[in-house]
Amino acid sequence: KYPYIDFKFEREIGNDILVVEGLTKEGYFQDLDFIVQKNDKIGFVSDKSTTITMLFDILTGKVQPDAGTVRWGKTIICSYLPQNNNEFFENCDMTLVEWLSQFSNDQYEEYLRGWLGRMLFSGEEALKKAKVLSGGEKVRCMLAKMMLEGGNFLIMDEPTNHLDLESITALNNGMSNFKGCMLFTSHDQELMNTVSNRIIEINGSKTFDKNVSYDEYLDMTNN
């Protein structure tokens, strides 16, 4: 069975989206500059995956940089899928319906069950305790949360981790069809190639930034 993944948003994106200037974090990167334009789906590449995780944590305000600025446009609603989602589930005694209700304005159970059903938690499955989920089930819950939030800007750190092939296919379709902006990294080469229209490589500093597919990036950097 395939989950149904479709990221929709209501708030249109203005001209100012995201400007990153002089961003520095000791041991990860220095003096990082980039501007996100409309329709950008940027795939990030690095020799050290922790570099990209640190960047995403800084962009979403979880970690403070040592230097530099992150300026978000006023129209931007950002939704983040972190690689480590333990904080959302550890020791959480809630059922999945209760868990998802934390992120919803609409508390109606059938409404919440609808979102969970898309991610294959139907019937009794929706009453599972959040703390007993497998890795793949946690990611599917996080994707339900993201769809519910309706962000027009998505940040995803290794979103295919723990997912089965059907879920990865559904996620690939959902990311490809998304009409907003997106920053992501993945070791899934097909996802990188079918979703991204710009590649940024960071190894200490920014070493590559072009509007190319992942395959084109590999061709350009391997020759």
Side-chain angles (χ1 to χ4, degrees):
K1 285 181 73 177
Y2 286 82
Y4 177 70
I5 299 176
D6 190 23
F7 302 105
K8 290 269 199 294
F9 57 91
E10 284 176 12
R11 182 156 197 192
E12 282 307 312
I13 294 177
N15 293 325
D16 297 327
I17 299 173
L18 173 62
V19 178
V20 173
E21 287 181 317
L23 206 62
T24 297
K25 189 70 179 174
E26 188 67 39
Y28 294 93
F29 43 78
Q30 68 253 0
D31 238 3
L32 200 57
D33 296 321
F34 62 91
I35 296 173
V36 178
Q37 311 283 0
K38 264 192 179 162
N39 304 317
D40 268 351
K41 291 182 179 178
I42 306 176
F44 281 84
V45 182
S46 178
D47 291 343
K48 279 178 20 195
S49 65
T50 50
T51 295
I52 310 300
T53 296
M54 178 55 72
L55 171 64
F56 289 173
D57 281 351
I58 289 172
L59 295 181
T60 53
K62 287 178 75 173
V63 177
Q64 290 303 307
D66 297 333
T69 57
V70 174
R71 286 205 315 279
W72 287 96
K74 288 186 172 54
T75 60
I76 299 305
I77 299 163
C78 180
S79 195
Y80 181 29
L81 181 77
Q83 190 175 161
N84 183 344
N85 54 35
N86 287 345
E87 64 184 286
F88 291 94
F89 300 99
E90 247 172 6
N91 305 319
C92 179
D93 249 342
M94 297 179 192
T95 66
L96 296 192
V97 172
E98 291 166 339
W99 182 86
L100 195 59
S101 73
Q102 304 172 96
F103 313 105
S104 176
N105 294 326
D106 188 333
Q107 298 290 303
Y108 186 55
E109 183 171 331
E110 287 309 307
Y111 174 77
L112 297 165
R113 276 180 172 274
W115 292 97
L116 289 167
R118 287 178 166 199
M119 301 312 295
L120 309 183
F121 298 106
S122 50
E124 291 295 301
E125 289 278 297
L127 299 176
K128 266 186 170 173
K129 289 283 171 81
K131 65 182 179 187
V132 303
L133 298 182
S134 70
E137 288 173 327
K138 288 177 183 172
V139 176
R140 297 205 320 264
C141 278
M142 293 296 289
L143 290 169
K145 168 186 174 284
M146 286 183 92
M147 287 192 286
L148 185 59
E149 285 170 339
N152 53 21
F153 193 113
L154 306 182
I155 298 183
M156 302 176 121
D157 189 357
E158 294 289 356
T160 63
N161 278 6
H162 310 295
L163 293 181
D164 59 22
L165 198 56
E166 290 79 9
S167 299
I168 291 172
T169 301
L171 176 63
N172 198 327
N173 292 337
M175 290 171 71
S176 298
N177 295 333
F178 180 61
K179 299 290 187 275
C181 292
M182 185 186 297
L183 312 181
F184 73 105
T185 187
S186 177
H187 58 270
D188 185 313
Q189 294 208 352
E190 174 147 354
L191 189 83
M192 287 289 285
N193 197 46
T194 49
V195 175
S196 56
N197 54 22
R198 177 178 168 190
I199 300 290
I200 293 181
E201 181 184 334
I202 303 168
N203 288 309
S205 59
K206 189 172 75 169
T207 53
F208 185 96
D209 181 357
K210 287 193 168 64
N211 289 345
V212 294
S213 72
Y214 185 65
D215 277 354
E216 289 169 325
Y217 153 78
L218 290 178
D219 284 345
M220 293 166 87
T221 52
N222 287 341
N223 290 339

